[in-house]
């Protein structure tokens, strides 16, 4: 019996993990606009300490041991024929790509600011983008961060840690930030931001034009719909959570009214056997939480079950967001749970246990020693 072929559309955080889990049981093809895993996590570390960020979140595909069996295609996705079971794409030289599949995993994620875009890029272009954003922020004597989610919080905190003499102000629309997390998490983070000297401005809803997605660092004054006077700084970072699913290449029948991929509790596209979606692109729940709660493991397990004619399992959501908010710091790594409680890994354990054993071997099944891109 011939081996099944699985196409994974999108090799971001979840797509790479899914490919790793499936590589031994099928012929896996991954289609990505990037030549590497370019994570959307830890924006604050990316802006303030780009070399540290790149070590852990910008990893060429050939460094993953379990991706040796995966054929990666560097191309932009352009369409899919659900009847013929074929995915189409376009390479940077204009050549077309057509990949047949027995199972398709849609993990193309979302566009969310300049740090999460589906554009076709080379390693040199990625590096230039990362350095340009860092240089822009580094040169500013004052910063405004607009937004109340994790990206805004990590950015304000990490910039304050890296540049303690820079004036940094955080503006968010509600009474508190991090509304998708347990309230006690904001209480803890609020104290940390205050200690770092970040100016906190609740109840400020910024004016955002319809066509603006927060995909650039600006310098114009920020105006508010809530009646406060405009605020000015040398640079303004927009982390407003205006996400757009990367699904322009998919037929409307697969999508909900917001453009996300409709899925059953088993993470399968309803009415389309062999088509699954996982990560931020999948309309699992309000938080699209399969991106952070082992959705990759469930999809891989359900694809194998479907091939074997076994029962598929369902995805369960935690109800609240959780995880690291500030990233790795000099004093270690703090991880928050859905209950609002936190656990801190001391600095020595991050370097000797968490990253080498839990992440690089436990999650990714082995990452080769870094080498120049």
């Amino acid at each position: 019996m011939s081996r099944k072929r699985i196409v994974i559309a999108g090799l971001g955080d979840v797509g790479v993990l899914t490919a790793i889990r499936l590589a031994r049981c099928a012929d896996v093809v991954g289609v990505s606009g990037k030549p590497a895993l370019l994570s959307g996590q830890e924006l604050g570390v990316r802006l303030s300490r780009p070399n540290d960020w790149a070590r852990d979140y910008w990893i060429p595909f050939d460094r993953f041991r379990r991706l040796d069996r995966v054929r990666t295609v560097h191309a932009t996705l352009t369409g899919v024929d659900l009847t013929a079971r074929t995915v189409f794409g376009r390479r940077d030289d204009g050549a077309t790509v057509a990949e047949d599949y027995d199972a398709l995993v849609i993990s193309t994620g979302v566009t969310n600011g300049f740090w999460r875009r589906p554009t076709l890029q080379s390693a040199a272009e990625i590096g230039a983008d990362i350095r340009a954003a860092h240089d822009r922020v580094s040169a500013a004597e004052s910063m405004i961060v607009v937004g109340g989610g994790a990206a805004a919080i990590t950015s304000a905190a990490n910039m304050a840690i890296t540049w303690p003499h820079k004036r940094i102000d955080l503006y968010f629309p509600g009474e508190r930030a991090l509304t998708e997390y347990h309230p006690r998490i904001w209480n803890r983070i609020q104290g940390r931001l205050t200690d770092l000297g970040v100016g906190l401005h609740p109840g400020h809803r910024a004016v955002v034009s319809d066509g603006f997605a927060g995909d650039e660092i600006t310098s114009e004054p920020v105006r508010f719909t809530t009646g406060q006077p405009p605020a000015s700084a040398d640079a303004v970072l927009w982390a407003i959570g205006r996400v757009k699913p990367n699904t322009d290449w998919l037929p409307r029948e697969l999508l909900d009214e917001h453009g996300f991929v409709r899925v059953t509790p088993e993470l399968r596209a309803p009415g389309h056997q062999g088509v699954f979606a996982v990560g931020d692109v999948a309309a699992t729940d309000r938080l699209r939480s399969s991106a952070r709660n082992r959705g990759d493991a469930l999809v891989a397990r359900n694809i194998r079950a479907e091939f074997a004619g076994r029962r598929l399992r369902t995805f369960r959501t935690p109800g609240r967001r959780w995880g690291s908010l500030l990233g790795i710091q000099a004093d270690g790594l703090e991880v928050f749970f859905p209950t609002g409680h936190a656990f801190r890994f001391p600095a020595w354990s991050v370097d000797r246990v968490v990253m080498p054993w839990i992440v690089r071997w436990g999650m990714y099944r082995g990452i080769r020693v870094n080498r120049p891109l």
Side-chain angles (χ1 to χ4, degrees), residues 97-250:
V97 171
E99 298 289 346
D100 297 333
Y101 65 83
D102 294 296
L104 169 63
V105 179
I106 302 167
S107 54
T108 42
V110 296
T111 295
N112 183 12
F114 59 84
W115 61 96
R116 297 180 74 184
R117 293 185 292 188
T119 52
L120 190 68
Q121 288 183 298
S122 66
E125 290 168 333
I126 293 169
D129 275 358
I130 293 172
R131 180 57 58 181
H134 168 75
D135 290 347
R136 177 77 171 87
V137 171
S138 177
E141 294 185 5
S142 58
M143 284 288 309
I144 286 176
V145 180
V146 182
I153 299 305
T154 184
S155 298
N158 277 281
M159 288 189 293
I161 293 168
T162 302
W163 298 290
H165 301 298
K166 195 188 299 289
R167 178 172 65 84
I168 299 172
D169 289 281
L170 175 66
Y171 292 85
F172 48 95
E175 294 182 4
R176 67 178 181 93
L178 299 178
T179 56
E180 295 177 340
Y181 293 75
H182 195 285
R184 65 165 59 99
I185 296 178
W186 170 240
N187 293 337
R188 186 179 181 93
I189 294 295
Q190 181 181 25
R192 184 72 187 277
L193 291 171
T194 300
D195 291 343
L196 290 169
V198 176
L200 302 179
H201 305 273
H204 286 65
R205 183 174 295 279
V207 175
V208 182
S209 62
D210 290 339
F212 182 64
D215 54 357
E216 60 181 301
I217 298 174
T218 61
S219 57
E220 293 78 16
V222 179
R223 304 183 184 281
F224 304 98
T225 65
T226 40
Q228 300 89 349
S232 298
D234 294 333
V236 180
L237 173 66
W238 297 83
I240 52 179
R242 183 170 282 192
V243 301
K244 178 182 181 296
N246 299 321
T247 54
D248 291 344
W249 61 284
L250 291 172

Side-chain angles (χ1 to χ4, degrees), residues 343-366:
F343 178 82
R344 178 177 295 279
F345 293 93
W348 68 266
S349 71
V350 174
D351 295 333
R352 300 178 191 176
V353 179
V354 176
M355 296 308 297
W357 294 107
I358 297 177
V359 175
R360 298 187 186 113
W361 277 106
M363 287 178 57
Y364 293 116
R365 305 295 194 267

Side-chain angles (χ1 to χ4, degrees), residues 12-348:
D13 293 296
V14 179
V16 165
L17 288 170
T18 305
I20 286 171
R21 291 181 179 278
L22 290 168
R24 288 187 172 180
C25 72
D27 293 328
V28 178
V29 179
V31 184
S32 173
K34 318 297 181 188
L37 168 61
L38 185 68
S39 177
Q41 300 181 59
E42 306 294 1
L43 174 61
V45 179
R46 172 172 168 162
L47 289 170
S48 61
R49 293 182 280 125
N51 291 334
D52 291 346
W53 181 88
R55 179 192 60 222
D56 298 322
Y57 295 103
W58 178 19
I59 307 173
F61 294 136
D62 62 3
R63 285 183 53 204
F64 293 92
R65 296 181 185 275
R66 283 289 184 89
L67 291 187
D68 288 348
R69 303 185 183 191
V70 175
R71 180 164 59 87
T72 58
V73 179
H74 189 204
T76 299
L77 292 156
T78 58
V80 59
D81 186 328
L82 296 171
T83 302
R85 292 181 168 237
T86 305
V87 169
F88 302 100
R90 183 175 57 253
R91 299 182 186 272
D92 59 353
D93 61 0
T96 58
V97 171
E99 298 289 346
D100 297 333
Y101 65 83
D102 294 296
L104 169 63
V105 179
I106 302 167
S107 54
T108 42
V110 296
T111 295
N112 183 12
F114 59 84
W115 61 96
R116 297 180 74 184
R117 293 185 292 188
T119 52
L120 190 68
Q121 288 183 298
S122 66
E125 290 168 333
I126 293 169
D129 275 358
I130 293 172
R131 180 57 58 181
H134 168 75
D135 290 347
R136 177 77 171 87
V137 171
S138 177
E141 294 185 5
S142 58
M143 284 288 309
I144 286 176
V145 180
V146 182
I153 299 305
T154 184
S155 298
N158 277 281
M159 288 189 293
I161 293 168
T162 302
W163 298 290
H165 301 298
K166 195 188 299 289
R167 178 172 65 84
I168 299 172
D169 289 281
L170 175 66
Y171 292 85
F172 48 95
E175 294 182 4
R176 67 178 181 93
L178 299 178
T179 56
E180 295 177 340
Y181 293 75
H182 195 285
R184 65 165 59 99
I185 296 178
W186 170 240
N187 293 337
R188 186 179 181 93
I189 294 295
Q190 181 181 25
R192 184 72 187 277
L193 291 171
T194 300
D195 291 343
L196 290 169
V198 176
L200 302 179
H201 305 273
H204 286 65
R205 183 174 295 279
V207 175
V208 182
S209 62
D210 290 339
F212 182 64
D215 54 357
E216 60 181 301
I217 298 174
T218 61
S219 57
E220 293 78 16
V222 179
R223 304 183 184 281
F224 304 98
T225 65
T226 40
Q228 300 89 349
S232 298
D234 294 333
V236 180
L237 173 66
W238 297 83
I240 52 179
R242 183 170 282 192
V243 301
K244 178 182 181 296
N246 299 321
T247 54
D248 291 344
W249 61 284
L250 291 172
R252 287 296 309 175
E253 64 186 276
L254 290 180
L255 311 179
D256 68 9
E257 65 274 21
H258 303 294
F260 295 91
V261 181
R262 293 185 295 114
V263 290
T264 66
E266 295 78 22
L267 301 184
R268 187 167 64 182
H272 296 279
Q273 188 173 4
V275 179
F276 295 79
V278 65
D280 284 321
V281 77
T284 51
D285 60 298
R286 182 179 61 86
L287 301 179
R288 300 185 302 281
S289 54
S290 69
R292 288 159 291 276
N293 296 279
R294 299 179 59 83
D296 57 285
L298 181 70
V299 161
R301 190 266 177 201
N302 281 350
I303 288 174
R304 293 192 297 266
E306 185 169 90
F307 286 161
R310 300 194 306 268
R311 182 178 64 85
L312 276 60
R313 294 182 181 175
T314 59
F315 177 70
R316 296 180 180 180
T317 66
R320 295 184 187 272
R321 290 197 187 276
W322 64 282
S324 166
L325 281 168
L326 304 187
I328 298 173
Q329 302 297 331
D331 60 352
L333 174 66
E334 189 171 46
V335 177
F336 294 93
F337 300 106
T339 60
H341 298 92
F343 178 82
R344 178 177 295 279
F345 293 93
W348 68 266

